[in-house]
Amino acid sequence: MTARKIIIDTDPGQDDAVAILLALASPEDIDVLGITAVAGNVPLSLTSKNARIVCELAGKPDTLVFAGCDRPLGRKLVTAEHVHGQTGLNGPVLPDPVMPLQEQHAVDFIIDTLRAHDAGTVTLCPLGPLTNIAMAFEKAPDIIEKVQEIVLMGGAYFEVGNITPAAEFNIYVDPQAAHIVFSSGAPIVVMPLDVTHKALVTKPRNDAFRAIGSAVGTAVAEMTDFFERFDKEKYGSNGAPLHDPCVTAYLIRPDLFTGRHINVEIETHSELTLGMTVADWWRVTDRPPNALFMGDIDADGFFALLTERLSRL
């Protein structure tokens, strides 16, 4: 098996950082063609900076990082400093990046990369709002059929919402973009809150990160120490969910996840349920399936993979 070629589209975010670290630690499984930053958890100036901080933390300063869209397609930006801190990576003290930001716009990089590769050989991995992906599809619809798969973190069904009663944050920030992506016809795998809320960093799991004894292990432990306070208070859980690493873990160990191929629609009009992922889990409509919507995870296997791979960096 050759390594799977991917573009990570991200708004780091501590859990985004762990997802990126997992990908960069797994070259036999994942070939990161580039990282595209989007506004989301924090504004674009910080997400594009944070992506480079993480690459340097991983010892991969040659990774290409591109800045993309600084606002959603049709509404004002909503951010999540209340979860991730003012920098987006609060917790560890990490140096400012030295590696450069690429001059090309992230949307153009996505388009050019898909056009340059054979159809079905590049996977898009969005970890934040889907603005960059939607913009690329709108600007160059010819690339849609070239996408191998879109594996994204976003949405929810049984877990409903985490930023409003009905909506998960990534979809809520840019529901119009999500609608474009889910309507595109590209193969989609969704890691919703239904899965990620089962990937909890309990104290023993965080102790295992810290016990790696490296700068990466310590930084990851300090990141989860920071944002777990918010989640423990909000959900009453015994740890913080690691949302975004589910995407990169799926590329390495898809057997850790189970789900259903169902129809998923995005609510774009209602003030009450804006950004809701209306997932036909019980297949009660005749709408055709458009996404593999995950429902469960082998959490112990997930954390074993994560700890083993992070120990390489």
Side-chain angles (χ1 to χ4, degrees), residues 153-282:
M153 189 276 132
Y157 183 54
F158 294 100
E159 287 289 306
V160 202
N162 64 353
I163 187 69
T164 74
E168 179 275 332
F169 178 82
N170 287 343
I171 305 298
Y172 178 76
V173 170
D174 199 340
Q176 288 78 17
H179 172 72
I180 290 168
V181 172
F182 276 83
S183 302
S184 68
I188 299 174
V189 178
V190 183
M191 295 293 166
L193 298 181
D194 305 272
V195 164
T196 66
H197 279 177
K198 297 171 184 173
L200 294 178
V201 188
T202 58
K203 186 178 186 303
R205 289 167 177 168
N206 212 30
D207 288 345
F209 293 150
R210 193 171 271 106
I212 292 171
S214 65
V216 167
T218 301
V220 168
E222 290 176 348
M223 287 180 197
T224 54
D225 277 342
F226 178 83
F227 77 86
E228 77 170 0
R229 298 169 196 162
F230 173 82
D231 288 288
K232 281 183 172 180
E233 181 178 340
K234 181 176 181 178
Y235 298 111
S237 59
N238 62 348
L242 272 185
H243 306 285
D244 295 328
C246 291
V247 168
T248 38
Y250 175 80
L251 300 178
I252 302 167
R253 289 280 310 278
D255 60 297
L256 294 173
F257 302 88
T258 55
R260 293 183 181 183
H261 196 222
I262 62 172
N263 180 267
V264 181
E265 303 291 338
I266 310 299
E267 178 56 61
T268 58
H269 298 294
S270 167
E271 289 184 19
L272 192 62
T273 58
L274 183 68
M276 184 177 185
T277 43
V278 183
D280 188 10
W281 184 259
W282 301 117

Side-chain angles (χ1 to χ4, degrees), residues 23 35 39 53 58 84 139 203 291 308:
I35 297 174
I53 289 173
H84 299 280
K139 186 174 180 180
K203 186 178 186 303
E308 185 269 317

Side-chain angles (χ1 to χ4, degrees), residues 19-310:
I20 294 167
L21 291 169
L22 176 58
L24 294 176
S26 307
E28 72 272 37
D29 298 299
I30 297 173
D31 178 7
V32 180
L33 301 178
I35 297 174
T36 51
V38 67
N41 284 323
V42 287
L44 181 68
S45 60
L46 287 173
T47 61
S48 57
K49 176 183 178 181
N50 291 348
R52 290 177 288 147
I53 289 173
V54 174
C55 291
E56 291 188 356
L57 174 64
K60 307 287 185 181
D62 295 333
T63 308
L64 301 178
V65 178
F66 302 81
C69 298
D70 65 355
R71 70 197 72 183
L73 296 184
R75 57 197 303 254
K76 292 179 66 174
L77 177 65
V78 176
T79 55
E81 289 89 350
H82 62 289
V83 179
H84 299 280
Q86 290 302 309
T87 69
L89 286 183
N90 280 37
V93 177
L94 299 170
D96 286 346
V98 176
M99 61 185 283
L101 192 62
Q102 301 299 307
E103 292 185 7
Q104 187 179 30
H105 193 281
V107 170
D108 294 324
F109 170 73
I110 292 168
I111 293 169
D112 289 352
T113 302
L114 284 166
R115 284 177 172 168
H117 286 79
D118 292 339
T121 61
V122 176
T123 295
L124 303 179
C125 297
L127 310 179
L130 290 162
T131 316
N132 285 341
I133 309 301
M135 283 286 289
F137 285 3
E138 291 282 277
K139 186 174 180 180
D142 59 285
I143 67 173
I144 296 172
E145 64 181 15
K146 300 199 73 174
V147 175
Q148 178 179 357
E149 203 167 41
I150 300 170
V151 184
L152 67 91
M153 189 276 132
Y157 183 54
F158 294 100
E159 287 289 306
V160 202
N162 64 353
I163 187 69
T164 74
E168 179 275 332
F169 178 82
N170 287 343
I171 305 298
Y172 178 76
V173 170
D174 199 340
Q176 288 78 17
H179 172 72
I180 290 168
V181 172
F182 276 83
S183 302
S184 68
I188 299 174
V189 178
V190 183
M191 295 293 166
L193 298 181
D194 305 272
V195 164
T196 66
H197 279 177
K198 297 171 184 173
L200 294 178
V201 188
T202 58
K203 186 178 186 303
R205 289 167 177 168
N206 212 30
D207 288 345
F209 293 150
R210 193 171 271 106
I212 292 171
S214 65
V216 167
T218 301
V220 168
E222 290 176 348
M223 287 180 197
T224 54
D225 277 342
F226 178 83
F227 77 86
E228 77 170 0
R229 298 169 196 162
F230 173 82
D231 288 288
K232 281 183 172 180
E233 181 178 340
K234 181 176 181 178
Y235 298 111
S237 59
N238 62 348
L242 272 185
H243 306 285
D244 295 328
C246 291
V247 168
T248 38
Y250 175 80
L251 300 178
I252 302 167
R253 289 280 310 278
D255 60 297
L256 294 173
F257 302 88
T258 55
R260 293 183 181 183
H261 196 222
I262 62 172
N263 180 267
V264 181
E265 303 291 338
I266 310 299
E267 178 56 61
T268 58
H269 298 294
S270 167
E271 289 184 19
L272 192 62
T273 58
L274 183 68
M276 184 177 185
T277 43
V278 183
D280 188 10
W281 184 259
W282 301 117
R283 301 189 177 108
V284 295
T285 75
D286 58 1
R287 293 193 291 265
N290 63 346
L292 178 56
F293 198 83
M294 292 302 175
D296 207 356
I297 179 176
D298 173 356
D300 288 337
F302 169 76
F303 279 97
L305 172 68
L306 199 48
T307 304
E308 185 269 317
R309 293 298 170 97
L310 293 179

